[in-house]
């Protein structure tokens, strides 16, 4: 007999802990989140548009031309003006940064983390890259992770030598 989550009692959370839904709501309460059109206007006006999706998602769904690709696991180090591993664009705490993920969840947590290090203008895109695409905004791809190696069939290869 297979046990499923619905048949198991939920564990009792430790005192003071918060669930991910609470953490996400608290992050979003601090952000002036942008719909895709407003995000595009901010980007065209000089905001840094930062794609934090993993390579596999970018390959499968496409990218915004000109966006900075910085995977989530190094984001704070690349944007903290105090950090020696920062990007050249991380010049001060007033830099407008718009975070983009696939559907607009991880980007909210990432933008709140940037605000925690002092980048008060950090925000994200409601609905993420999926909403960006639906809005018809500029995008490239998707592209395969591994480009197929063009091989001629043995018959074609043999006839080409004659």
């Amino acid at each position: 007999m297979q046990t499923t989550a619905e048949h198991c009692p939920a564990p009792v959370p430790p005192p003071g802990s918060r669930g991910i839904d609470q953490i996400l709501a608290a992050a979003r309460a601090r952000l002036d989140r942008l719909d895709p059109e407003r995000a595009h206007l901010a980007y065209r006006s000089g905001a840094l548009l930062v794609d934090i999706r993993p390579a596999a998602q970018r390959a499968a769904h496409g990218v915004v031309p000109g966006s900075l690709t910085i995977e989530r696991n190094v984001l704070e180090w690349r944007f903290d003006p105090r950090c020696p591993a920062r990007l050249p664009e991380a010049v001060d705490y007033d830099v407008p940064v718009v975070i983009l993920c696939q559907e607009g969840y991880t980007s909210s947590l990432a933008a709140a983390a940037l605000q925690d290090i002092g980048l008060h203008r950090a925000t994200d895109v409601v609905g993420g890259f999926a909403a960006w695409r639906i809005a018809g905004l500029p995008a490239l791809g998707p592209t395969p992770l591994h480009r197929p190696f063009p091989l001629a069939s043995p018959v074609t290869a043999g006839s080409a030598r004659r």
Side-chain angles (χ1 to χ4, degrees):
M1 176 181 216
Q2 191 174 17
T3 305
T4 62
E6 59 196 35
H7 295 0
C8 295
V12 176
S17 68
R18 299 180 297 158
I20 189 58
D21 291 336
Q22 293 169 301
I23 293 168
L24 182 62
R28 287 180 170 171
R30 313 184 319 188
L31 303 174
D32 177 20
R33 300 184 76 212
L34 305 177
D35 63 35
E37 292 82 4
R38 283 182 56 213
H40 185 243
L41 287 173
Y43 173 51
R44 292 192 55 178
S45 297
L48 298 175
L49 183 63
V50 180
D51 190 337
I52 62 169
R53 296 174 298 153
Q57 278 188 334
R58 293 189 312 270
H61 301 283
V63 297
V64 175
S67 62
L68 291 173
T69 301
I70 303 170
E71 292 195 14
R72 176 66 188 98
N73 61 326
V74 295
L75 183 70
E76 291 87 346
W77 286 270
R78 299 299 180 255
F79 276 97
D80 186 348
R82 294 168 278 225
C83 182
R86 72 183 174 276
L87 294 170
E89 294 87 351
V91 293
D92 61 36
Y93 297 94
D94 198 41
V95 174
V97 179
V98 179
I99 306 293
L100 184 70
C101 70
Q102 187 60 33
E103 295 181 352
Y105 294 94
T106 305
S107 59
S108 295
L109 299 175
L114 290 182
Q115 285 189 355
D116 288 344
I117 61 174
L119 281 90
H120 64 98
R121 296 176 66 189
T123 191
D124 75 324
V125 180
V126 176
F129 183 77
W132 183 281
R133 273 278 183 165
I134 290 168
L137 296 169
L140 301 173
T143 57
L145 279 175
H146 304 286
R147 296 193 186 272
F149 188 75
L151 291 176
S153 70
V155 173
T156 307
S159 63
R161 291 186 207 162
R162 294 183 192 170

